[in-house]
C-alpha cells in the first residue's frame, strides 16, 4: 500500500474501507452489521440519501430563507430610524451608517452567501432568491436614505445647490459719484 | 449640503454672541487718539502753567503744560460758532467762555470753568446775539451783537443789570474797569466812539457819546487785563499807513498818531510802560515790531526790529520773536530792544501761522496743523491737530513677508511652459531655503508663546503681521498734508507729508493699480502720486486741459474689463482721466446735484446728462445717499429659509439709496433707485412722524439690504433704525435673473422689499457696514453715537423676517430668527469703544484683515479710533487661552507611551504563539 492507512481511512468511504476499519476495530455491542449492510443494498435510497431533486428543493428552500431574512429586520430598522429623530447625534449617525454599510457588505458578499446552495440545476431558482435578497438589502438602504433625508443631509432642496449658483453678470458699468 | 447642520452651527456660534471684546484685548487691539482741533491764537490762553484753548472744532480744552496731553476737554454743542466766541480768564483758576450758538449765532452761551478740573462753575444763555466783547473787572461785562450790555455776577453768572445801546449804534467792543465800563460803538453818522456806563448802576455815566474818529476803519482794541493800559487803535482810509491810538482810560481822550516805517497788511498794538508796541505783518508776509515812547504828548519811535520771515508777538510786557529756529525775548523798554533770552528750538519745517506768548512760554502754530509749546528750555511738547480735520481716509495694505519676490514668480510659473516653470520653481524653493532657519526660529517663538502678537513687528518696517492686522491708514487733512498711521503701533505716525499739492486743496485720495501707489487729487487739478508705504512724492502734475474756473468735485474709480480707471469729476461736469483713458464700453455715472440725482453717460470721450431723478415736492431735501461698495462680495445669491427653500437676494450693483427730509411736514423719505437707468425701485415715506430734519437720515447699503436711521418724536420718541431687505421675488425658489445677463435697461421685476423698524436708545450720527475678505462672515452695522461711543449692531438682529408678536417656529429658529423686539441695541456689550470717549466721529471705514473672521474698523472725525471686530466670532483664530503646552505634553506622553508599550505587546503576542504564556 502506497498511501498511508490514516489517509485512506479519513478520505475514502468505500465499503472496503469500512470493512477494513471494521476489521481493525470491533463493533460496538448490539451493533448488527448485517442489517446495515442489507439495508444499504436493498433500501438505501429510500431511507438515507434524498434524491438530487429533493436535495435541490431543500437547497432552494434554504436559499429563500436567507434571501428573506433581511425583511425581518427591515421593520425594526424603519421603526428605529423613525424614533431616533432627525437630530445629528452619534447614535442616529451610527445607525444610519449601519443602514448603509451592512446592506452594501451583504450585496458584495451575495455570491459566497448563496454558494452552498448553488448548483447547475438550481441556478435559475437561486438567482431569483439572490435578486430578492438584493432587493431587500436595497430596501434597507432605502430606509437609510429616508433617514438621511429626514436628517436633512440629502441635496434635494433648492438651497442645497445654491452654492453652485453664480451671481448674474451685469452688463452696464455704473459709477456713483459721491 | 447639510443646511440644517450649518444653520444649527451658526445659531450655536452666534446666539450667545458676546459682542464686546474681552478685557485682555482692550487697549491691545484698539487705540484712540483724542484731538482738540485747530487753534486760533485769539482763543488760546497761554500761561506758564497751563494752556487753555477753545478750538475751531468747538472744543474747550486744557492742555498739560509739560506733556501737551489733554487734561480735560468739553465739546460744546456742535452748532457753536467758534469764530464769534471769546475765551478769557475769569481769574487765576477759572476760564470764561462766551460762545455764540447756534449756527446763526443768535444766542450766547457764557460759562465759567474751573481750569484744573474742567468742572462747570456756572453758565447762562443770553439772548440778544453773539458776544462782541467780554471784559472782566471783578464781575463779567458782556456786549452782545444785538446792542445789549450785561453785567453778570462773577460767582453765579446771574444778571446784575442790563443796558441797551441807543438806536443807530453798532457794538464794537467793551472794556471794563473797576468803576466804569467803556462801550465802544460805531454810530452811523458820527463814526467810532464810546459811552461810559457806570459799573454799579448800569446807566450812562454821562449822556455823551465820545466820538473818536468819523472815518475809522480797521479797529483793534487791546485789553491788557491789568498788564498795562487798555488802548484802542484804528486806521483811517486815505491817510496812508498811519495808525491812530487812543487810551481808553484817558478822560481827555487824546488821540496819538504813529506812522510805521513801511506798509503793512495787519497790525496789533499793545501798551507798554512808556508807550506802545506795534507788531506788524507786511504785505510780503514778513513781521516786525516797532516801539514807541510817549514823550511830550507824542509817540516817538524808539526802536524797531528788522522784518523776519517768521512771527512776532507781544505778551506779558515782553516782545517775542521767532526767527531762524530760535525764539528771542526782548524787554519792552524806553531804550528800545534788548535781548533778554534766546532759546534755540527745533521746530517743524512748516511755515509759522501764529505765535502767542506769555512770560515764559510761547505757543507756536504751524500751517500744517502742528502746535508747539516752547519755553526757555526748548520745545516742551508738540501736538499734531491736523488729524482732527480729515477730508478722506483709506487703508493701505502692507507688504507680506517676502511677498515682493514671490508674487511675480508665482505668476510666471502659472503662465510659463511646464518644464521651464518646474525648473523655476525648484530654483525658487532652493533660494527660499536660505530663510528657513529664521522661519523655524520664528515659528517656535510663536508656537511657544501661543500669541501671534508676541513677535513684534518692527515699527520702521513696511511689512504686515501674520494675520494682516497691521496696515497703514492714510489721512488727507484740510491743512493739505497726509498722515499715515500705523494700526499696529497705537496709531503712531508711519510717515507724514505736508503741502502735498503745494497750494492746492486736497479733494480725495485713491489707490492706484499697485496698492502702494496713491493718487492725491486737488481741487484745482493738481495730482500727486505718493508712495503709500514711505510717503515719498513720486510725481506731481496738473490735469491738462483743465477748464478755467473749474473745480474737481470728486475722484471716481471704476473697473472696466479688468482695468482700473481713475478720473476726476469736475464742477463743470467734465471727466479727466488720471489713469487709463476712454474705456471701451459706455460708463454710466450718477451724481447728486441740486437736490436731485442726475444720470450721465460717458461715451466717445464726452459726459452727457441723461436722466434726472427729482423728489416729489420741492420741500424735500436730500440729506444723504449711499451706494453699494463695489468691493462688497456676496458669498451666496440667495437666502436659505428654514424649510431649505431659497429667497433670492436682489443683488443689483447699481442700487442707490437716497434719503430726503421734508422741512415743512417734518417727515422723511427713502428712495431706492437704479443709478444707471434712474428707475425708481422702491420708496418709503415716514409721514406720520416728527423727524429731526437737521440731524437728517443716516444710510448704509449692504449686499441686498439698506439700513437707515433717523430721530423722530412720534410715535415713540427716539432713534428709529429701519432695515429694508430686498429679494428678487416673494416666491420661494424663484429667480428670474438666472441664466440671463442683468441689464438696468430691461424691465426687470421690481425687488420684493421687506422692512422692519426698531428703536435704538441713542442718537446715531453715522452708519457703516463691516466688510470681510470673502463675505462669508456675518455683517455688522457700525454706528457712531452722539454719546461719543461706537456701537456694532449685528445685521442678524436687523432682519425683516423676524416674527412679530409670536415665538419663532422651528423652521424660523433654524433660519436664525429671533422674536421681534422693538428695542434693539440696548446692550452695553454692543459698544466697541468701551471706555474711550470717541468725540465727533463723522465717518467709519472698514477693511478686512487676512483672516476672514476679522474686520478692521477705523472711525474718524475729531477723534480717531481703531479696533478690530469679529462679527461671527474669531472662528479661524485659536483663542489666547488655548493651552498649547497641555496639548504638547499630551502628545509627548502618548509618544512615550507608544514607545514603551509597543515592544511589550509584541513580546506578549510572541509568547502566546510559542505557548509559553497563556
Amino acid at each position: 500500500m502506497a498511501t498511508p492507512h490514516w489517509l485512506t481511512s479519513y478520505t475514502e468511504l468505500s465499503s472496503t474501507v469500512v470493512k477494513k476499519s471494521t476489521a481493525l476495530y470491533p463493533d460496538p455491542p448490539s451493533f448488527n452489521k448485517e442489517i446495515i449492510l442489507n439495508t444499504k443494498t436493498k433500501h438505501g435510497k429510500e431511507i438515507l440519501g434524498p434524491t438530487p431533486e429533493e436535495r435541490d428543493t431543500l437547497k432552494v428552500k434554504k436559499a429563500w430563507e436567507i434571501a428573506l431574512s433581511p425583511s425581518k429586520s427591515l421593520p425594526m430598522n424603519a421603526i428605529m430610524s423613525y424614533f431616533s429623530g432627525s437630530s445629528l447625534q452619534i447614535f442616529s449617525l451610527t445607525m444610519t451608517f449601519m443602514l448603509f454599510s451592512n446592506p452594501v457588505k451583504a450585496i458584495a458578499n451575495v455570491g459566497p452567501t448563496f454558494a452552498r446552495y448553488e448548483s447547475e440545476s438550481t441556478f435559475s431558482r437561486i438567482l431569483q432568491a439572490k435578486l430578492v435578497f438584493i432587493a431587500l438589502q436595497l430596501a434597507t438602504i432605502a430606509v437609510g436614505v429616508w433617514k438621511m433625508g429626514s436628517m436633512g443631509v440629502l441635496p434635494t432642496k433648492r438651497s442645497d445647490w445654491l452654492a453652485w449658483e453664480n451671481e448674474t453678470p451685469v452688463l452696464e458699468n455704473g459709477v456713483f459719484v459721491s | 449640503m447639510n443646511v440644517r447642520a450649518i444653520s444649527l452651527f451658526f445659531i450655536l456660534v452666534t446666539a450667545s454672541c458676546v459682542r464686546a471684546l474681552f478685557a485682555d484685548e482692550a487697549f491691545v487691539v484698539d487705540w484712540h487718539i483724542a484731538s482738540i482741533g485747530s487753534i486760533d491764537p485769539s482763543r488760546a490762553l497761554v500761561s506758564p502753567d497751563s494752556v487753555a484753548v477753545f478750538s475751531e472744532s468747538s472744543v474747550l480744552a486744557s492742555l498739560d503744560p509739560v506733556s501737551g496731553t489733554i487734561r480735560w476737554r468739553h465739546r460744546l454743542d456742535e452748532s457753536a460758532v467758534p469764530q464769534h466766541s471769546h475765551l478769557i480768564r475769569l481769574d487765576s483758576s477759572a476760564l470764561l467762555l462766551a460762545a455764540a450758538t447756534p449756527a446763526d449765532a443768535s444766542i450766547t452761551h457764557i460759562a465759567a470753568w474751573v481750569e484744573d478740573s474742567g468742572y462747570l462753575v456756572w453758565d447762562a444763555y443770553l439772548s440778544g446775539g453773539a458776544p462782541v466783547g467780554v471784559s472782566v473787572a471783578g464781575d463779567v461785562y458782556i456786549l452782545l451783537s444785538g446792542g445789549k450790555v450785561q453785567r453778570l455776577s462773577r460767582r453765579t453768572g446771574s444778571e446784575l443789570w442790563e443796558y441797551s445801546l441807543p438806536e443807530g449804534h453798532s457794538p464794537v467792543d467793551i472794556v471794563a474797569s473797576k468803576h466804569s465800563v467803556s462801550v465802544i460803538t460805531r454810530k452811523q453818522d458820527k463814526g467810532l466812539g464810546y459811552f461810559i456806563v457806570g459799573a454799579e448802576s448800569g446807566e450812562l455815566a454821562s449822556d455823551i457819546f465820545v466820538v473818536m474818529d468819523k472815518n475809522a476803519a480797521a479797529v483793534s482794541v487791546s485789553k491788557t487785563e491789568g498788564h498795562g493800559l487798555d488802548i484802542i487803535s484804528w486806521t483811517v482810509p486815505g491817510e496812508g499807513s498811519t495808525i491812530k491810538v487812543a487810551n481808553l482810560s484817558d478822560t481827555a481822550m487824546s488821540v496819538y498818531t504813529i506812522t510805521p516805517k513801511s506798509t503793512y497788511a495787519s497790525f496789533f498794538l499793545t501798551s507798554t510802560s512808556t508807550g506802545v508796541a506795534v507788531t506788524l505783518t507786511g504785505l510780503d508776509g514778513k513781521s516786525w515790531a516797532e516801539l514807541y515812547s510817549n514823550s511830550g504828548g507824542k509817540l516817538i519811535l524808539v526802536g524797531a526790529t528788522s522784518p523776519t520771515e517768521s512771527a512776532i508777538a507781544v505778551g506779558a510786557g515782553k516782545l517775542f520773536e521767532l526767527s531762524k529756529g530760535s525764539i528771542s525775548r526782548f524787554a519792552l523798554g524806553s531804550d528800545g530792544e534788548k535781548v533778554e533770552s534766546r532759546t534755540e528750538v527745533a521746530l517743524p519745517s512748516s511755515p509759522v501761522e501764529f505765535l502767542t506768548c506769555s512770560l515764559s512760554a510761547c505757543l507756536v502754530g504751524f500751517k500744517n496743523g502742528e502746535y508747539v509749546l516752547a519755553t526757555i528750555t526748548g520745545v516742551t511738547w508738540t501736538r499734531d491737530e491736523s488729524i482732527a480735520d480729515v477730508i478722506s481716509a483709506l487703508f493701505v495694505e502692507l507688504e507680506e513677508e517676502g511677498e515682493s519676490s514671490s508674487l511675480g514668480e508665482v505668476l510666471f510659473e502659472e503662465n510659463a511652459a511646464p518644464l521651464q516653470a518646474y525648473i523655476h520653481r525648484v530654483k525658487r524653493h532652493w533660494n527660499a531655503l536660505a530663510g528657513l532657519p529664521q522661519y523655524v526660529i520664528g515659528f517656535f517663538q510663536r508656537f511657544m508663546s501661543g500669541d501671534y502678537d508676541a513677535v513684534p513687528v518692527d515699527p520702521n518696517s513696511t511689512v504686515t503681521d501674520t494675520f494682516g492686522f497691521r496696515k497703514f491708514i492714510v489721512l488727507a487733512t484740510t491743512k493739505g498734508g497726509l498722515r499715515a498711521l500705523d494700526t499696529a503701533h497705537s496709531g503712531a505716525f508711519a510717515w507724514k507729508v505736508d503741502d502735498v499739492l503745494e497750494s492746492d486743496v486736497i479733494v480725495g485720495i485713491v489707490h492706484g493699480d499697485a496698492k502702494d501707489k496713491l493718487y492725491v487729487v486737488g481741487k484745482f487739478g493738481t495730482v500727486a502720486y505718493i508712495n503709500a508705504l514711505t510717503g515719498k512724492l513720486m510725481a506731481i502734475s496738473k490735469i491738462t486741459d483743465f477748464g478755467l474756473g473749474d473745480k474737481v468735485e470728486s475722484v471716481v474709480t471704476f473697473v472696466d474689463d479688468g482695468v482700473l480707471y481713475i478720473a476726476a469729476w469736475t464742477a463743470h461736469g467734465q471727466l479727466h482721466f488720471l489713469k487709463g483713458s476712454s474705456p471701451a464700453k459706455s460708463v454710466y455715472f450718477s451724481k447728486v446735484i441740486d437736490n436731485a440725482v442726475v444720470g450721465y453717460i460717458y461715451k466717445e470721450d464726452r459726459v452727457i446728462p441723461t436722466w434726472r431723478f427729482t423728489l416729489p415736492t420741492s420741500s424735500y431735501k436730500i440729506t444723504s445717499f449711499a451706494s453699494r461698495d463695489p468691493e462688497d462680495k456676496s458669498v451666496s445669491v440667495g437666502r436659505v429659509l428654514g424649510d431649505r427653500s431659497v429667497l433670492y437676494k436682489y443683488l443689483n450693483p447699481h442700487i442707490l439709496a437716497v434719503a430726503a427730509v421734508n422741512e415743512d411736514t417734518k417727515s422723511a423719505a427713502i428712495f431706492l433707485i437704479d443709478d444707471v437707468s434712474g428707475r425708481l425701485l422702491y420708496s418709503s415715506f415716514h409721514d406720520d412722524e416728527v423727524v429731526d430734519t437737521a440731524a437728517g437720515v443716516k444710510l448704509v447699503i449692504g449686499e441686498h439690504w439698506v439700513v437707515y436711521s433717523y430721530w423722530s418724536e412720534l410715535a415713540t420718541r427716539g432713534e428709529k433704525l429701519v432695515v429694508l431687505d430686498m429679494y428678487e421675488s416673494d416666491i420661494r425658489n424663484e429667480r428670474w435673473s438666472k441664466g440671463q445677463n442683468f441689464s438696468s435697461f430691461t424691465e426687470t421685476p421690481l425687488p420684493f422689499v421687506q422692512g422692519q423698524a426698531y428703536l435704538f436708545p441713542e442718537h446715531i450720527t453715522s452708519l457703516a457696514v463691516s466688510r470681510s475678505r470673502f463675505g462669508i462672515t456675518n455683517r455688522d452695522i457700525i454706528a457712531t453715537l452722539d454719546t461719543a461711543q461706537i456701537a456694532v449692531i449685528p445685521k442678524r438682529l436687523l432682519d425683516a423676517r423676524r416674527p412679530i408678536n409670536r415665538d419663532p417656529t422651528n423652521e424660523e429658529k433654524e433660519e436664525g430668527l429671533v422674536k421681534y423686539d422693538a428695542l434693539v441695541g440696548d446692550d452695553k456689550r454692543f459698544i466697541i469703544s468701551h471706555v474711550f470717549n470717541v468725540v465727533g466721529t463723522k465717518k467709519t471705514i472698514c477693511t478686512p484683515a487676512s483672516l476672514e473672521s476679522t474686520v478692521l474698523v477705523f472711525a474718524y472725525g475729531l477723534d480717531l479710533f481703531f479696533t478690530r471686530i469679529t462679527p461671527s466670532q474669531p472662528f479661524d483664530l485659536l483663542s489666547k487661552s488655548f493651552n498649547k503646552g497641555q496639548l504638547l505634553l499630551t502628545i509627548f506622553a502618548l509618544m512615550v507611551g507608544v514607545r514603551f508599550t509597543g515592544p511589550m505587546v509584541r513580546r506578549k503576542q510572541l509568547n502566546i504563539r510559542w505557548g509559553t504564556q497563556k
Side-chain angles (χ1 to χ4, degrees):
Chain A
M1 279 241 291
T3 48
H5 165 69
W6 57 267
L7 180 69
T8 47
S9 68
Y10 275 107
T11 52
E12 287 183 30
L13 274 167
S14 63
S15 54
T16 51
V17 177
V18 173
K19 266 179 198 164
K20 271 185 185 169
S21 63
T22 50
L24 275 173
Y25 306 105
D27 289 329
S30 77
F31 177 73
N32 193 342
K33 200 189 279 176
E34 307 310 300
I35 292 171
I36 293 176
L37 289 174
N38 291 343
T39 316
K40 202 186 173 188
T41 48
K42 276 183 179 175
H43 313 287
K45 275 169 197 165
E46 288 155 16
I47 297 166
L48 269 181
T51 58
E53 288 78 37
E54 280 175 336
R55 199 179 280 264
D56 285 352
T57 319
L58 208 62
K59 278 183 181 171
V60 169
K61 202 180 157 194
K62 214 62 188 147
W64 272 107
E65 260 174 38
I66 289 177
L68 291 173
S69 65
S71 69
K72 287 172 195 156
S73 60
L74 200 59
M76 187 194 70
N77 277 332
I79 289 167
M80 277 176 72
S81 299
Y82 179 77
F83 281 109
S84 61
S86 62
S87 59
L88 291 178
Q89 290 165 344
I90 188 74
F91 176 71
S92 52
L93 277 178
T94 332
M95 217 185 85
T96 316
F97 178 73
M98 299 290 238
L99 285 175
F100 284 90
S101 66
N102 288 345
V104 168
K105 259 189 250 167
I107 289 170
N109 287 326
V110 71
T113 311
F114 287 91
R116 292 196 291 162
Y117 315 111
E118 220 159 9
S119 62
E120 274 178 35
S121 53
T122 58
F123 178 77
S124 61
R125 282 185 290 171
I126 292 289
L127 187 69
Q128 282 174 13
K130 272 186 189 173
L131 287 177
V132 169
F133 180 75
I134 290 172
L136 284 171
Q137 294 294 5
L138 287 178
T140 312
I141 291 181
V143 172
V145 169
W146 169 79
K147 171 74 179 166
M148 276 174 74
S150 75
M151 284 199 293
V153 291
L154 285 186
T156 52
K157 297 286 174 69
R158 186 66 167 264
S159 61
D160 300 321
W161 304 99
L162 190 61
W164 283 270
E165 289 192 47
N166 292 323
E167 268 190 60
T168 313
V170 178
L171 292 180
E172 294 90 11
N173 198 350
V175 183
F176 179 68
V177 185
S178 55
Chain B
M1 221 54 48
N2 189 344
V3 175
R4 288 189 190 197
I6 292 169
S7 55
L8 191 78
F9 170 73
F10 272 99
I11 290 167
L12 285 176
V13 163
T14 51
S16 59
C17 241
V18 182
R19 289 275 143 193
L21 70 178
F22 294 104
D24 61 334
E25 286 178 338
F27 310 104
V28 176
V29 302
D30 51 13
W31 47 261
H32 169 233
I33 298 175
S35 297
I36 53 173
S38 306
I39 299 171
D40 188 280
S42 64
R43 285 177 293 281
L45 300 176
V46 182
S47 70
D49 54 355
S50 78
V51 177
V53 166
F54 185 56
S55 77
E56 304 296 277
S57 308
S58 303
V59 175
L60 176 67
S62 169
L63 304 178
D64 188 282
V66 178
S67 63
T69 50
I70 299 168
R71 284 202 295 193
W72 54 263
R73 62 174 177 163
H74 297 295
R75 185 171 168 90
L76 299 191
D77 188 356
E78 228 176 308
S79 58
V81 189
Q83 291 73 25
H84 291 152
S85 304
H86 295 263
L87 177 69
I88 60 172
R89 205 169 278 287
L90 186 61
D91 53 45
S92 58
S93 65
L95 303 171
L96 184 73
L97 175 70
T101 185
D104 60 350
S106 58
I107 294 170
T108 293
H109 176 228
I110 184 160
W113 306 85
V114 180
E115 192 172 2
D116 287 337
S117 59
Y119 291 153
L120 182 70
V121 185
W122 53 260
D123 74 334
Y125 283 91
L126 313 174
S127 58
V132 176
V134 187
S135 192
V136 175
D139 277 334
V140 178
Y141 300 87
I142 182 163
L143 174 64
L144 302 173
S145 60
K148 256 201 291 190
V149 182
Q150 282 186 329
R151 176 178 172 174
L152 307 175
S153 163
R154 192 180 70 84
R155 295 192 174 279
T156 62
S158 55
E159 185 188 308
L160 298 176
W161 52 254
E162 184 185 303
Y163 167 75
S164 290
L165 290 177
E167 286 282 307
H169 287 269
S170 57
V172 173
D173 210 333
I174 186 167
V175 179
S177 66
K178 228 172 193 173
H179 305 294
S180 65
V181 182
S182 308
V183 184
I184 303 154
T185 65
R186 279 174 200 271
K187 202 180 175 194
Q188 245 164 2
D189 49 343
K190 291 190 172 165
L192 187 69
Y194 65 89
F195 293 102
I196 302 282
V197 180
E200 290 300 323
S201 61
E203 285 163 11
L204 282 187
S206 66
D207 223 359
I208 310 157
F209 175 62
V210 185
V211 179
M212 292 186 284
D213 199 308
K214 202 176 173 183
N215 304 315
V219 181
S220 92
V221 179
S222 163
K223 284 176 264 189
T224 52
E225 314 286 349
H227 284 289
L229 300 169
D230 297 324
I231 55 172
I232 179 167
S233 54
W234 66 92
T235 59
V236 181
E239 291 190 21
S241 58
T242 305
I243 300 171
K244 304 241 173 166
V245 188
N247 182 356
L248 280 170
S249 41
D250 177 15
T251 43
M253 196 55 226
S254 29
V255 175
Y256 302 89
T257 306
I258 55 172
T259 310
K261 50 186 186 178
S262 64
T263 51
Y264 53 87
S266 64
F267 69 94
F268 189 75
L269 259 89
T270 331
S271 67
T272 66
S273 54
T274 57
V276 290
V278 199
T279 54
L280 304 114
T281 308
L283 299 170
D284 56 356
K286 289 188 177 177
S287 317
W288 73 96
E290 292 178 10
L291 198 63
Y292 293 87
S293 180
N294 192 345
S295 156
K298 273 189 169 180
L299 286 173
I300 297 159
L301 182 71
V302 289
T305 63
S306 50
T308 69
E309 295 281 349
S310 296
I312 214 148
V314 173
K318 306 281 178 187
L319 175 70
F320 297 85
E321 186 193 62
L322 170 68
S323 145
K324 295 188 187 83
S326 67
I327 294 178
S328 312
R329 189 172 75 177
F330 301 91
L332 290 174
S334 58
D335 55 342
E337 57 189 82
K338 184 179 162 195
V339 178
E340 280 189 348
S341 70
R342 188 182 292 270
T343 313
E344 298 288 325
V345 282
L347 294 174
S349 54
S350 181
V352 176
E353 200 170 60
F354 69 82
L355 175 73
T356 177
C357 294
S358 73
L359 195 61
S360 61
C362 281
L363 181 68
V364 195
F366 293 88
K367 283 242 157 58
N368 67 356
E370 284 183 297
Y371 299 95
V372 168
L373 188 77
T375 58
I376 296 166
T377 50
V379 172
T380 313
W381 52 256
T382 304
R383 282 189 73 84
D384 194 335
E385 288 296 335
S386 66
I387 52 174
D389 253 322
V390 176
I391 296 165
S392 144
L394 53 78
F395 278 100
V396 172
E397 299 263 344
L398 301 184
E399 295 162 324
E400 278 168 34
E401 199 119 41
E403 173 201 33
S404 49
S405 59
S406 60
L407 185 68
E409 299 193 38
V410 170
L411 282 176
F412 171 81
E413 283 164 21
E414 273 178 10
N415 300 318
L419 182 68
Q420 209 180 352
Y422 179 74
I423 294 168
H424 188 269
R425 173 168 292 194
V426 170
K427 264 193 208 163
R428 180 163 66 85
H429 285 177
W430 178 254
N431 292 336
L433 274 182
L436 186 67
Q438 203 191 348
Y439 172 80
V440 170
I441 292 167
F443 177 81
F444 278 106
Q445 265 180 345
R446 268 206 317 269
F447 197 82
M448 295 319 286
S449 60
D451 178 7
Y452 279 81
D453 298 329
V455 187
V457 182
D458 178 13
N460 297 319
S461 75
T462 54
V463 177
T464 187
D465 53 8
T466 322
F467 298 131
F469 294 152
R470 185 182 187 224
K471 282 176 198 206
F472 285 171
I473 300 165
V474 176
L475 308 174
T477 70
T478 49
K479 307 272 183 189
L482 297 182
R483 299 286 183 271
L485 310 178
D486 184 343
T487 62
H489 297 98
S490 304
F493 289 126
W495 50 262
K496 42 169 131 180
V497 196
D498 288 323
D499 286 326
V500 189
L501 300 176
E502 289 155 4
S503 58
D504 210 341
V505 184
I506 300 175
V507 169
I509 42 173
V510 290
H511 279 292
D513 236 353
K515 59 187 175 183
D516 59 350
K517 189 177 182 184
L518 291 182
Y519 286 65
V520 186
V521 184
K523 196 174 177 182
F524 302 107
T526 318
V527 185
Y529 309 91
I530 300 278
N531 184 321
L533 301 181
T534 61
K536 280 211 175 67
L537 181 75
M538 298 196 280
I540 186 162
S541 64
K542 279 262 181 192
I543 294 174
T544 49
D545 66 286
F546 196 72
L548 196 69
D550 205 359
K551 282 173 194 163
V552 174
E553 284 193 332
S554 55
V555 189
V556 293
T557 58
F558 60 93
V559 177
D560 191 51
D561 278 341
V563 181
L564 176 73
Y565 292 86
I566 300 175
W569 183 280
T570 71
H572 291 179
Q574 300 276 313
L575 201 60
H576 297 280
F577 279 91
L578 310 175
K579 185 184 174 304
S581 63
S582 313
K585 274 196 298 184
S586 302
V587 183
Y588 300 87
F589 291 95
S590 55
K591 193 174 188 337
V592 174
I593 297 172
D594 300 337
N595 225 18
V597 189
V598 184
Y600 300 87
I601 183 168
Y602 181 85
K603 61 175 181 184
E604 293 153 9
D605 298 340
R606 282 197 312 139
V607 178
I608 306 154
T610 48
W611 52 265
R612 191 177 175 86
F613 176 83
T614 47
L615 300 171
T617 64
S618 60
S619 46
Y620 277 102
K621 299 275 173 286
I622 292 179
T623 62
S624 49
F625 37 80
S627 63
R628 266 189 77 185
D629 182 355
E631 288 180 54
D632 183 43
K633 292 188 186 85
S634 278
V635 75
S636 164
V637 295
R639 173 186 175 145
V640 180
L641 305 185
D643 62 354
R644 290 160 64 204
S645 58
V646 179
L647 270 186
Y648 284 94
K649 299 171 183 171
Y650 185 76
L651 291 171
N652 180 354
H654 302 147
I655 203 150
L656 173 71
V658 178
V661 293
N662 190 330
E663 291 285 352
D664 301 343
T665 60
K666 293 283 176 197
S667 61
I670 297 291
F671 305 94
L672 303 182
I673 57 177
D674 185 305
D675 70 1
V676 167
S677 62
R679 181 184 180 204
L680 180 67
L681 300 171
Y682 179 80
S683 62
S684 165
F685 293 85
H686 299 280
D687 285 336
D688 317 330
E689 304 179 44
V690 182
V691 176
D692 180 358
T693 51
V697 182
K698 284 69 69 178
L699 258 182
V700 69
I701 293 193
E703 45 175 348
H704 68 291
W705 43 262
V706 180
V707 170
Y708 60 94
S709 84
Y710 57 93
W711 181 272
S712 78
E713 302 290 330
L714 291 177
T716 308
R717 187 166 180 269
E719 187 83 24
K720 311 282 159 52
L721 199 58
V722 185
V723 61
L724 300 176
D725 289 331
M726 294 173 281
Y727 300 102
E728 285 201 1
S729 162
D730 59 335
I731 301 163
R732 296 174 179 195
N733 295 340
E734 186 180 85
R735 186 185 186 195
W736 51 258
S737 68
K738 194 173 189 175
Q740 299 179 17
N741 287 333
F742 180 84
S743 168
S744 290
F745 296 113
T746 49
E747 276 290 308
T748 51
L750 290 174
F752 164 63
V753 181
Q754 263 187 318
Q756 221 165 55
Y758 310 87
L759 271 174
F760 193 79
E762 311 285 356
H763 275 280
I764 291 175
T765 53
S766 76
L767 289 173
V769 60
S770 71
R771 176 168 66 82
S772 68
R773 181 154 290 257
F774 301 108
I776 299 165
T777 304
N778 288 347
R779 283 165 171 81
D780 269 355
I781 292 157
I782 302 156
T784 59
L785 313 179
D786 79 337
T787 52
Q789 289 172 313
I790 294 172
V792 289
I793 308 154
K795 171 64 181 64
R796 208 173 56 83
L797 278 183
L798 308 181
D799 192 326
R801 290 181 52 77
R802 280 174 69 176
I804 298 175
N805 290 336
R806 62 176 172 84
D807 285 323
T809 61
N810 279 339
E811 286 190 350
E812 282 169 335
K813 275 183 196 158
E814 284 184 13
E815 218 180 302
L817 296 172
V818 284
K819 188 179 171 182
Y820 174 79
D821 183 4
L823 192 61
V824 75
D826 186 25
D827 188 342
K828 292 300 167 216
R829 287 176 301 181
F830 286 155
I831 306 292
I832 52 170
S833 57
H834 54 96
V835 299
F836 292 133
N837 221 13
V838 191
V839 176
T841 38
K842 291 189 184 119
K843 209 177 165 194
T844 308
I845 56 171
C846 294
T847 195
S850 304
L851 293 175
E852 167 59 24
S853 67
T854 311
V855 181
L856 310 183
V857 178
F858 176 66
Y860 62 91
L862 180 69
D863 286 5
L864 309 180
F865 173 71
F866 171 85
T867 191
R868 48 188 202 234
I869 57 170
T870 48
S872 297
Q873 302 293 81
F875 57 80
D876 46 8
L877 193 61
L878 271 185
S879 74
K880 274 186 185 162
S881 58
F882 182 81
N883 198 337
K884 273 191 179 173
Q886 198 176 33
L887 180 75
L888 276 181
L889 269 178
T890 313
I891 293 172
F892 182 71
L894 280 173
M895 275 165 63
V896 170
V898 167
R899 188 99 189 92
F900 279 99
T901 53
M904 277 165 65
V905 169
R906 259 202 307 279
R907 196 167 57 239
K908 194 173 177 182
Q909 279 176 342
L910 197 64
N911 286 344
I912 287 172
R913 286 195 187 169
W914 282 104
T916 56
Q917 194 179 2
K918 279 181 185 172

